[in-house]
Amino acid sequence: MDQEPVFNIEEELKKLPAQPGVYLMHDAKDEIIYVGKAISLKNRVRQYFQSSRGKTAKIEQMVSRIARFEYIITDSEMEALVLECNLIKEHRPRYNTMLKDDKAYPYIKVTVGEDFPRVMVSRTMKKDRNKYFGPYTSAGAVNDTVDLIHKLYRLRTCNRNLPKDMGKERPCLNYHIKQCNAPCQGAISKEEYGKAVEEALEFLNGRYKKLLGLLEEKMMEASDRMDFEKAIEYRELLDSVKKVSQKQKITSSSMEDRDIIAMAKDDTDAVVQVFFVREGKIIGRDHFHVTVGAEEDQRQILTSFVKQFYSGTPFVPKELWMQEEPEDSEIIVKWLGAKRGQKVKIVTPKKGQKERLVELAERNAALVLSQDKEKIKREELRTIGAMNQIGSLIGLEHIRRVEAYDISNTSGLESVGSMVVYEDGKPKRSDYRKFKIQSVKGPNDYASMKEVLTRRFTHGMKEAKELEEGGLLEEMGSFTRFPDLLMMDGGRGQVNIALEVLEELGLTIPVCGMVKDDNHRTRGLYYNNVEMPIDRHSEGFALITRIQDEAHRFAIEYHRSLRGKGQVKSILDDIPDIGPTRRKALMKKFKSLEAVKEATVEELMETPGMNRKSAQSVYDFFR
């Protein structure tokens, strides 16, 4: 078997082109630990491996772990910036200054391109014919606003294609509770409906005065004619509108969109505060935690934040007011302008109201940093800190990804396996997997576990090979990413099964067992033929217990769902003339097995696909 060629850093540095592009640093495990961009790849990448003078401690540590690097050439520095942002978001390298928060803000979308427009919540903003309002920082407030608009203007919420589908179906419940004027029935003309949409747009633009006056007038009229129920309805609408209007404060007479960005930091953490100003009104604010090194300065942190934040949000305002101008500001302004579709300005205010607003954002960031410091520490102790404790106990460093497995069965019936994944001490549910045992008959947990692990790693190796052959290794999925540690639900027996499978497949992955006492409570870890007790009051112990419980819960949940399906199937499929299609039709019509048992022959015949013979067969079977 041919050996992989050794990556010679000195030789590869000589081959670097003097062109713009993106470089990716890999460690010994082939994990991407840093992504950067350069005007000249040749000059930038070589700097990392030259004299240490002027390098920060963080960069020194990162360079000491580089096993290889790769690069992607681009046509321009701006293309390199876009690619850098995408790769950082995809791989979240540990030595890049990273946003800890990955937030998606809601918008309110008005489908003005339709004949009968709708108002709805949207998590994306596209370049289409629709109108978007936001982004908003509170999903609850957005939902309340959309609900209020439907009550006020009675706009449709359905997906019907109007006017093409007009009159084809009955009106929905919203029409009967007077929250829709039923354009689907032709009950309102396109012109009248259009007026209601215009009023809704006025409302979303923050022009409430006319509406408040109209609602107050209607409330008084209803009260005068002693229609108190209607008066209360108008009063509630009035209160709702006031509540929405009070949330928006005027900050500028220019009526422009801008984000106001400032930060506060200490040795290890930073908080960036953003005020969102839309059409001259603060519509919300949010803060973002950033992992930083002690030597990183304000400008570097703000530069990383702007690139990561605006690569992930679909809306770019006309202006950014910032505490300090970011590095590469010219190229960042060009990139933001391309995203927005028109010119974007970055302003660093030095006096007046602009400076006071940036200072206000900075004070808010400092307040959040001090308040959340303890909370962040507690969270890191129970996640990354706990993972490090486990690593220290068994003598392993840099454990990021852990996979745990469990088997569940009832007397050997419907045996299933579960795979749960924890990264940096937190469950990564998108990578969980379920296995229905195929080759094992009867209650044999060891054989079942062997099947699960063999399938998991064989699948992963096959997937990785296909991606490598296609030059797509960066697109690794949940099976292609192998764990830093396998945690088995049990002691020596389960660990030996895992080691046997890994040896057969030529893989080297540490394996430990989560050992339980006679009362079925976790008591320690089994590793390298030794059972290691662990402090029951430590965060590491708490994490082991959570992982063990989660693997068990996930297996039981899957087993229960299969068992339920199996019971319905086994009973109905024993009836002559009843196959899968008729079984499904019976369950769809009668909803429960009990209802099928009690049905008459005539009622059974009403089921789609049933004739008298099959109906009689079902009736006789239960009697």
Side-chain angles (χ1 to χ4, degrees):
M1 187 175 173
D2 293 337
Q3 279 194 326
E4 286 285 320
V6 176
F7 189 89
N8 187 319
I9 289 177
E10 286 299 323
E11 287 300 313
E12 295 301 324
L13 286 172
K14 294 174 186 176
K15 299 175 188 175
L16 284 164
Q19 290 176 255
V22 171
Y23 53 93
L24 299 91
M25 304 299 194
H26 294 252
D27 65 7
K29 293 182 179 178
D30 214 30
E31 181 184 338
I32 295 170
I33 57 175
Y34 189 78
V35 173
K37 72 165 181 64
I39 301 174
S40 168
L41 286 164
K42 183 176 183 177
N43 295 342
R44 185 73 188 94
V45 177
R46 286 172 70 88
Q47 286 174 4
Y48 288 101
F49 301 96
Q50 289 169 352
S51 164
S52 62
R53 190 174 57 191
K55 283 190 193 144
T56 65
K58 180 179 175 181
I59 294 298
E60 284 282 4
Q61 187 186 40
M62 185 265 286
V63 171
S64 71
R65 300 186 65 180
I66 297 172
R68 73 178 184 92
F69 61 79
E70 59 178 316
Y71 54 88
I72 303 165
I73 297 168
T74 60
D75 287 332
S76 67
E77 191 185 358
M78 187 168 132
E79 276 188 24
L81 174 68
V82 173
L83 182 57
E84 177 198 31
C85 292
N86 291 338
L87 289 172
I88 287 173
K89 189 174 180 183
E90 171 70 23
H91 298 290
R92 301 189 68 81
R94 69 176 66 185
Y95 286 102
N96 283 90
T97 299
M98 292 299 304
L99 273 178
K100 292 184 183 180
D101 314 83
D102 189 12
K103 302 175 183 180
Y105 294 102
Y107 294 78
I108 294 177
K109 178 166 93 173
V110 185
T111 59
V112 292
E114 297 178 331
D115 287 329
F116 293 89
R118 295 165 291 156
V119 177
M120 63 184 73
V121 179
S122 174
R123 285 281 172 182
T124 58
M125 182 181 178
K126 298 176 182 175
K127 291 183 179 178
D128 53 24
R129 296 167 62 195
N130 301 313
K131 282 194 175 180
Y132 292 85
F133 296 85
Y136 299 96
T137 53
S138 168
V142 169
N143 290 326
D144 290 345
T145 302
V146 170
D147 287 345
L148 178 59
I149 286 169
H150 290 145
K151 287 176 186 174
L152 288 168
Y153 304 109
R154 300 185 179 183
L155 303 180
R156 71 186 183 103
T157 58
C158 64
N159 293 322
R160 294 177 191 179
N161 185 357
L162 301 182
K164 184 182 173 183
D165 294 339
M166 202 173 277
K168 287 186 179 178
E169 295 179 49
R170 290 181 296 178
C172 66
L173 179 63
N174 283 353
Y175 169 71
H176 297 292
I177 62 173
K178 297 182 180 176
Q179 284 193 22
C180 179
N181 282 324
C184 61
Q185 305 301 307
I188 183 172
S189 69
K190 183 179 174 180
E191 291 72 25
E192 283 297 310
Y193 189 91
K195 286 179 187 175
V197 172
E198 285 301 320
E199 288 177 11
L201 289 170
E202 288 277 304
F203 177 83
L204 286 168
N205 278 313
R207 299 176 191 117
Y208 307 111
K209 195 172 180 182
K210 181 181 170 185
L211 177 62
L212 288 167
L214 183 64
L215 288 172
E216 196 157 350
E217 188 182 313
K218 287 188 174 183
M219 180 181 74
M220 298 309 295
E221 285 174 3
S223 182
D224 289 343
R225 63 174 184 268
M226 296 193 177
D227 187 352
F228 298 118
E229 194 174 322
K230 202 73 182 169
I232 289 169
E233 186 182 321
Y234 285 126
R235 187 187 68 193
E236 287 174 351
L237 286 173
L238 193 63
D239 289 343
S240 296
V241 174
K242 284 178 180 175
K243 201 177 288 182
V244 169
S245 66
Q246 284 165 3
K247 285 180 182 175
Q248 299 189 337
K249 298 174 184 176
I250 295 290
T251 61
S252 165
S253 56
S254 61
M255 302 300 284
E256 288 180 350
D257 296 340
R258 65 177 57 91
D259 288 350
I260 301 167
I261 304 169
M263 60 156 285
K265 75 177 283 284
D266 58 19
D267 289 344
T268 56
D269 291 291
V271 168
V272 179
Q273 180 84 34
V274 185
F275 289 162
F276 302 102
V277 180
R278 301 294 177 261
E279 296 196 345
K281 303 178 182 70
I282 289 184
I283 63 161
R285 65 175 187 174
D286 214 339
H287 62 269
F288 301 83
H289 291 282
V290 184
T291 53
V292 298
E295 66 283 346
E296 286 181 283
D297 62 28
Q298 191 167 275
R299 195 177 184 206
Q300 291 171 319
I301 295 164
L302 287 172
T303 301
S304 294
F305 172 80
V306 166
K307 290 195 288 188
Q308 289 179 56
F309 180 68
Y310 290 103
S311 70
T313 180
F315 182 82
V316 177
K318 189 174 181 180
E319 292 183 354
L320 304 187
W321 291 1
M322 295 186 65
Q323 199 173 9
E324 193 166 340
E325 186 177 345
E327 297 170 344
D328 305 321
S329 61
E330 283 185 24
I331 197 71
I332 287 174
V333 163
K334 191 176 173 184
W335 168 59
L336 292 173
K339 283 201 78 176
R340 179 177 169 83
Q342 54 184 267
K343 191 176 178 182
V344 171
K345 283 170 64 179
I346 292 180
V347 180
T348 52
K350 301 300 178 190
K351 60 182 180 179
Q353 186 195 23
K354 291 181 181 180
E355 185 187 27
R356 286 196 297 275
L357 281 168
V358 172
E359 285 176 354
L360 181 64
E362 184 182 355
R363 287 203 304 272
N364 275 270
L367 182 66
V368 170
L369 183 64
S370 63
Q371 288 177 340
D372 285 3
K373 193 69 182 172
E374 284 307 311
K375 181 182 172 185
I376 293 166
K377 280 183 180 174
R378 286 196 302 271
E379 179 61 19
E380 287 190 347
L381 272 174
R382 69 186 295 275
T383 54
I384 297 171
M387 198 72 91
N388 290 338
Q389 280 183 16
I390 294 169
S392 297
L393 183 71
I394 58 179
L396 292 176
E397 291 183 0
H398 311 304
I399 300 174
R400 288 197 69 194
R401 182 184 174 99
V402 164
E403 290 179 8
Y405 295 83
D406 194 15
I407 301 293
S408 176
N409 64 62
T410 305
S411 302
L413 296 171
E414 298 282 21
S415 288
V416 301
S418 69
M419 161 183 154
V420 301
V421 180
Y422 276 65
E423 282 193 359
D424 293 327
K426 297 177 184 177
K428 190 177 183 185
R429 292 186 174 84
S430 59
D431 282 7
Y432 284 17
R433 290 295 180 267
K434 305 168 182 174
F435 300 84
K436 191 173 180 181
I437 304 303
Q438 298 167 348
S439 63
V440 182
K441 302 297 179 188
N444 188 332
D445 283 359
Y446 287 167
S448 297
M449 184 61 76
K450 185 172 183 178
E451 180 191 318
V452 167
L453 293 172
T454 303
R455 283 166 59 188
R456 181 265 179 270
F457 288 107
T458 303
H459 188 149
M461 292 165 72
K462 182 184 174 187
E463 212 173 69
K465 187 179 178 183
E466 288 170 356
L467 289 171
E468 189 174 11
E469 287 171 354
L472 301 168
L473 203 54
E474 301 303 333
E475 298 180 13
M476 291 196 298
S478 61
F479 271 3
T480 335
R481 295 182 191 278
F482 285 3
D484 300 313
L485 177 66
L486 273 182
M487 299 188 80
M488 311 304 297
D489 185 47
R492 179 181 299 179
Q494 292 285 17
V495 168
N496 287 340
I497 288 292
L499 290 171
E500 184 185 324
V501 170
L502 293 171
E503 188 179 354
E504 286 174 3
L505 297 175
L507 297 172
T508 306
I509 299 171
V511 183
C512 71
M514 298 178 283
V515 186
K516 292 185 177 180
D517 60 22
D518 294 338
N519 297 316
H520 212 64
R521 289 181 302 194
T522 308
R523 74 179 184 213
L525 291 178
Y526 180 81
Y527 184 68
N528 281 349
N529 295 317
V530 178
E531 185 179 321
M532 300 176 175
I534 184 167
D535 179 4
R536 287 177 179 268
H537 303 291
S538 67
E539 292 292 350
F541 179 82
L543 179 58
I544 292 166
T545 304
R546 287 200 298 276
I547 293 172
Q548 196 167 31
D549 290 346
E550 181 69 351
H552 189 58
R553 178 201 66 78
F554 194 55
I556 290 288
E557 182 184 90
Y558 180 42
H559 183 256
R560 191 177 290 131
S561 71
L562 288 180
R563 195 170 64 224
K565 290 174 189 173
Q567 286 170 348
V568 171
K569 181 182 175 188
S570 63
I571 295 170
L572 292 181
D573 282 1
D574 284 343
I575 306 172
D577 299 319
I578 300 300
T581 304
R582 282 176 172 162
R583 169 171 57 80
K584 285 177 187 172
L586 283 167
M587 292 308 296
K588 189 174 180 181
K589 177 173 173 57
F590 292 98
K591 308 300 182 194
S592 71
L593 199 58
E594 215 48 51
V596 174
K597 288 179 183 178
E598 294 173 5
T600 63
V601 172
E602 287 69 26
E603 287 170 339
L604 291 165
M605 282 176 65
E606 291 172 9
T607 306
M610 296 285 285
N611 54 30
R612 178 167 287 279
K613 183 185 175 187
S614 58
Q616 189 67 50
S617 186
V618 173
Y619 183 82
D620 292 343
F621 182 84
F622 289 114
R623 283 160 181 83

